[in-house]
Amino acid sequence: MGEEQQREERWRTEAYPMKGGDAMDSYANNSSYQRGGVVAAKKVIIEAVGEKLDLKSIVSSNIFRIADLGCSVGPNTFFAAENIINAVQSKCQYDQYQGGVLHDLDHVCPEFQVFFNDHSSNDFNTLFTSLPPDRQYFAAGVAGSFYCRLFPSASLHFVHSSYAINWLSKVPKPIIDKSSAAWNKGKIHYSNSKDVVVEAYEVQFGEDMECFLHARAQEVVFGGLIALVICGRPNGMPHSQNAQNITFELLGSCLMDMAKKGKVSEEKVDSFNIPMYLMSPQELEAAVDRNGYFGIERIEDLPNVLQLGGRPKSEVISSHWRAIMHGMMKVHFGRDAVIILDELLELFRKKLEEDLSLMNSISDTLYTFFALLKRQARE
Ligand code: SAH
């Protein structure tokens, strides 16, 4: 394979958008858990902007550019954008006040531009039709994978990404190759799989993080910030004990039950794998160190908030996964995807109800952490 081909192969990404629109089963209506993480990050982002952002040195053209990578459809992405803007505005006012005079925000603050990024198959129509009417920014959409370059050099001041970089760019190749020792037969994730399967996921995660950080190192101005809200696993916790991994293990066993009853082809299940890696804070730190262009300014656990809104927990968890898995199932199972998904999630919901301790261990140990990176001044 030539060098160019190799790069293309490496950057070939798969896209599994969340369920679009604004219906009951949409991501917009089934992402309250993620919303909890984005809300919890608000305080940390306000502090980070106050302490770590040197506005005078980074904004030369009076335009402050923010990107939200893996935005899906609102409202979480709008909340994140607004929160960053409010934090920057407070910082501007504070900086001015240090000079002894309190000016209007319009006089002391830059203008804001927010780039909403996701795969081109994301429901950008719903995103743009639901933009908050009272927004204080110019909105633009940027379609493409965040594992590639998306923006001109040194053009971004603040990058935000929540619940997105846990998605790998693709299913690791060896695990879908029947002739490989890492072929992941009968499973849909690396949860409780052979070590070689876990290693294949780890390798893909390492390569993806390298691409992500390499692209951002070029796009973010010196002194600019990246705020990451990541669904992962605590330092030192084995993959097999992590809440998301346990969830995937259960979903996989439900799908295998369906295969045994002839409701879905076993071969199709064998080749279906979820391209998600649950990283630990230490793994993120190691990737940032390897890249060398960013310093980690802050890294901390966020509270785990699963809002039930009066619905049974089993139903909230299963509709959460339904909105997430919809795109993946459509790509893999084609025409029958929705029927399979309905039955799969119903089976999953029932199993959660039958085993309350399993359900509680999943919901109570979901783990999200926050990391703040700062672009260091080196070419
Ligand atoms: N940030 C939102 C949405 C998270 S869902 C929130 O916190 O609620 C994850 C989103 O990341 C999905 O919309 C998915 O399409 C997107 N995504 C995953 N991999 C991506 C990639 N490589 N490039 C761009 N977007 C990606």
Side-chain angles (χ1 to χ4, degrees):
M1 215 189 273
E3 204 178 297
E4 194 57 31
Q5 246 179 319
Q6 267 180 12
R7 191 169 319 135
E8 260 183 37
E9 175 57 26
R10 212 167 160 204
W11 280 10
R12 181 185 61 81
T13 58
E14 295 161 9
Y16 305 110
M18 306 298 100
K19 181 79 167 74
D22 58 4
M24 277 289 284
D25 62 349
S26 62
Y27 181 80
N29 284 321
N30 288 283
S31 47
S32 63
Y33 176 75
Q34 293 88 327
R35 166 87 178 207
V38 176
V39 170
K42 177 175 175 169
K43 183 173 150 278
V44 199
I45 288 179
I46 292 173
E47 284 170 17
V49 167
E51 290 163 16
K52 311 286 180 190
L53 199 67
D54 180 0
L55 276 169
K56 281 195 207 82
S57 73
I58 68 168
V59 188
S60 51
S61 64
N62 213 37
I63 303 168
F64 191 91
R65 293 194 196 84
I66 298 167
D68 187 29
L69 306 183
C71 61
S72 189
V73 280
N76 299 353
T77 185
F78 303 140
F79 182 82
E82 203 170 290
N83 178 28
I84 295 162
I85 291 170
N86 289 341
V88 174
Q89 286 174 331
S90 304
K91 166 87 172 160
C92 292
Q93 274 195 320
Y94 178 82
D95 287 354
Q96 279 294 321
Y97 193 63
Q98 294 298 84
V101 198
L102 192 58
H103 294 276
D104 291 347
L105 278 182
D106 288 352
H107 281 94
V108 296
C109 278
E111 289 186 294
F112 293 94
Q113 186 169 29
V114 178
F115 296 100
F116 294 97
N117 156 258
D118 211 297
H119 286 300
S120 52
S121 46
N122 182 52
D123 186 358
F124 280 103
N125 282 337
T126 296
L127 176 82
F128 282 103
T129 44
S130 56
L131 275 170
D134 56 348
R135 63 189 176 277
Q136 312 172 62
Y137 53 86
F138 296 94
V142 174
S145 169
F146 51 56
Y147 290 122
C148 307
R149 276 292 295 275
L150 294 167
F151 300 95
S153 301
S155 60
L156 297 178
H157 303 101
F158 200 109
V159 172
H160 177 271
S161 183
S162 54
Y163 297 96
I165 63 165
N166 43 302
W167 287 97
L168 296 173
S169 64
K170 51 177 131 356
V171 171
K173 251 191 169 166
I175 71 163
I176 39 173
D177 175 359
K178 278 188 184 172
S179 64
S180 155
W183 185 39
N184 202 21
K185 182 173 169 46
K187 301 216 169 252
I188 63 167
H189 194 233
Y190 59 90
S191 321
N192 268 332
S193 285
K194 298 173 281 192
D195 288 351
V196 272
V197 174
V198 180
E199 276 155 29
Y201 269 90
E202 281 168 353
V203 168
Q204 189 63 56
F205 162 72
E207 283 178 9
D208 286 347
M209 280 309 292
E210 194 183 314
C211 292
F212 180 86
L213 292 167
H214 183 70
R216 300 301 82 77
Q218 295 164 74
E219 296 165 351
V220 175
V221 298
F222 294 156
L225 299 176
I226 301 186
L228 300 170
V229 176
I230 301 172
C231 135
R233 76 180 197 290
N235 285 332
M237 176 180 274
H239 289 295
S240 58
Q241 286 172 24
N242 196 41
Q244 306 271 350
N245 296 63
I246 297 171
T247 305
F248 292 141
E249 177 75 10
L250 185 59
L251 281 164
S253 76
C254 292
L255 208 48
M256 277 310 278
D257 287 352
M258 287 171 64
K260 284 190 191 108
K261 288 188 184 145
K263 301 202 163 163
V264 53
S265 118
E266 193 164 334
E267 205 175 328
K268 271 283 190 201
V269 180
D270 286 343
S271 56
F272 179 63
N273 289 279
I274 299 180
M276 191 183 279
Y277 185 79
L278 287 308
M279 72 184 91
S280 66
Q282 271 164 2
E283 283 173 308
L284 177 71
E285 281 172 293
V288 173
D289 280 353
R290 268 197 308 276
N291 167 267
Y293 288 93
F294 294 93
I296 298 203
E297 298 287 332
R298 204 162 165 165
I299 198 154
E300 65 188 61
D301 297 353
L302 291 178
N304 174 21
V305 199
L306 182 66
Q307 285 159 6
L308 299 179
R311 293 160 72 200
K313 200 191 266 185
S314 58
E315 197 183 300
V316 173
I317 298 178
S318 60
S319 34
H320 165 96
W321 283 108
R322 196 183 193 293
I324 293 177
M325 291 181 72
H326 180 264
M328 248 182 307
M329 298 288 287
K330 255 174 74 178
V331 170
H332 193 77
F333 293 98
R335 262 186 317 140
D336 302 329
V338 176
I339 302 170
I340 298 172
L341 187 60
D342 282 346
E343 194 161 340
L344 171 65
L345 269 304
E346 183 50 18
L347 205 56
F348 174 74
R349 192 189 62 75
K350 281 192 185 137
K351 287 206 177 177
L352 288 181
E353 270 184 6
E354 281 161 18
D355 190 342
L356 291 185
S357 78
L358 175 70
M359 178 168 75
N360 290 336
S361 79
I362 287 178
S363 62
D364 299 348
T365 58
L366 276 169
Y367 175 71
T368 297
F369 69 99
F370 174 87
L372 185 79
L373 319 185
K374 186 170 184 173
R375 175 68 163 92
Q376 288 164 346
R378 58 165 279 227
E379 291 301 332

